[in-house]
């Protein structure tokens, strides 16, 4: 990859448009840009989660792979018709999700976001991931989107939920169970 960002500001977006990877320009508030920006936001939240974990934490390699996948996913959205996310990445997430979920007890209550700082960051990444999935679904109503993109985001939000449960239990916190209001 060559020197793509030799100058950080270009002034080309001052009119409210931005450039896609194929050279076309679209409005900064277009559904495609909303999806790209929300995927970038997930990646940032995962980065904060990684920063909250110890250097030797067992989940760091998984989260690093997820960050790379999210960058690929955003790149795919930035170049209409380009494909980077494959069914193999979804299968890998599903396998990891199954492995991680094995040690958790079945849910009998809803869980509130929290438990400890790292688990709370994981929950935040999860809800942003759900928003990204909704943005991609909105985009797919007008543009052709590689189906594995939507599936990846759906599985990732599930994986982040399971990971939040594991981190909360492991790191001395506890899952915060929802206590519904008494409707007597």
């Amino acid at each position: 990859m060559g020197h793509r960002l030799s100058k950080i500001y270009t002034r080309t977006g001052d009119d409210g448009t931005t450039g896609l990877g194929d050279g076309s320009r679209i409005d900064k508030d277009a559904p495609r840009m909303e999806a790209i920006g929300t995927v970038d936001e997930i990646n940032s939240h995962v980065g904060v989660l990684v920063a909250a974990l110890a250097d030797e934490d067992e989940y760091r390699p998984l989260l690093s792979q997820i960050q790379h996948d999210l960058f690929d996913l955003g790149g795919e959205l930035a170049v209409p018709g380009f494909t980077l996310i494959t069914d193999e990445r979804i299968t890998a997430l599903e396998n990891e999700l199954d492995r991680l979920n094995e040690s958790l007890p079945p849910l009998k209550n809803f869980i509130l976001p929290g438990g400890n700082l790292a688990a709370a960051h994981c929950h935040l990444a999860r809800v942003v991931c759900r928003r990204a999935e909704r943005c991609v679904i909105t985009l797919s109503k007008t543009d052709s989107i590689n189906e594995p993109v939507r599936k990846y985001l759906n599985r990732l939000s599930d994986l982040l939920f399971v990971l939040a449960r594991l981190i909360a239990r492991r790191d001395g916190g506890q899952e915060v169970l929802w206590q519904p209001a008494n409707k007597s």
Side-chain angles (χ1 to χ4, degrees):
M1 184 163 146
H3 297 287
R4 299 186 70 160
L5 294 176
S6 58
K7 191 173 185 179
I8 299 302
Y9 67 92
T10 62
R11 297 186 177 117
T12 58
D14 290 351
D15 65 352
T17 65
T18 191
L20 294 177
D22 65 359
S24 63
R25 296 196 68 78
I26 63 172
D27 290 338
K28 288 184 177 186
D29 64 350
R32 182 172 297 276
M33 290 313 303
E34 192 65 36
I36 291 168
T38 307
V39 168
D40 189 32
E41 192 177 343
I42 303 165
N43 209 341
S44 296
H45 283 295
V46 172
V48 172
L49 170 59
V50 169
L53 299 173
D55 289 343
E56 66 282 352
D57 193 283
E58 65 183 304
Y59 301 126
R60 277 177 159 257
L62 170 62
L63 292 167
S64 176
Q65 179 60 54
I66 288 168
Q67 285 196 284
H68 287 279
D69 288 348
L70 287 169
F71 210 86
D72 286 346
L73 197 152
E76 183 173 320
L77 291 172
V79 184
F82 189 59
T83 300
L84 287 170
I85 300 299
T86 63
D87 287 329
E88 288 76 24
R89 289 307 314 140
I90 294 157
T91 300
L93 275 183
E94 288 172 347
N95 291 338
E96 195 62 35
L97 185 53
D98 290 341
R99 184 185 72 78
L100 293 171
N101 198 42
E102 280 179 358
S103 65
L104 289 170
L107 283 174
K108 295 180 181 177
N109 298 79
F110 287 106
I111 296 173
L112 299 180
N116 60 41
L117 185 59
H121 284 304
C122 204
H123 279 292
L124 189 55
R126 173 186 59 79
V127 298
V128 174
C129 189
R130 287 285 187 209
R131 180 163 32 95
E133 182 183 10
R134 293 189 303 271
C135 290
V136 166
I137 289 168
T138 298
L139 177 61
S140 72
K141 291 177 180 176
T142 58
D143 294 13
S144 178
I145 300 298
N146 178 24
E147 187 175 343
V149 166
R150 186 178 33 81
K151 289 180 180 179
Y152 184 91
L153 293 169
N154 187 278
R155 297 310 180 284
L156 178 58
S157 64
D158 292 338
L159 186 139
L160 290 167
F161 177 74
V162 167
L163 195 56
R165 292 189 69 200
L166 288 166
I167 291 170
R169 291 169 161 270
R170 179 194 71 185
D171 294 347
Q174 59 182 341
E175 294 177 296
V176 181
L177 301 179
W178 172 56
Q179 301 298 318
N182 189 353
K183 308 248 182 191
S184 309

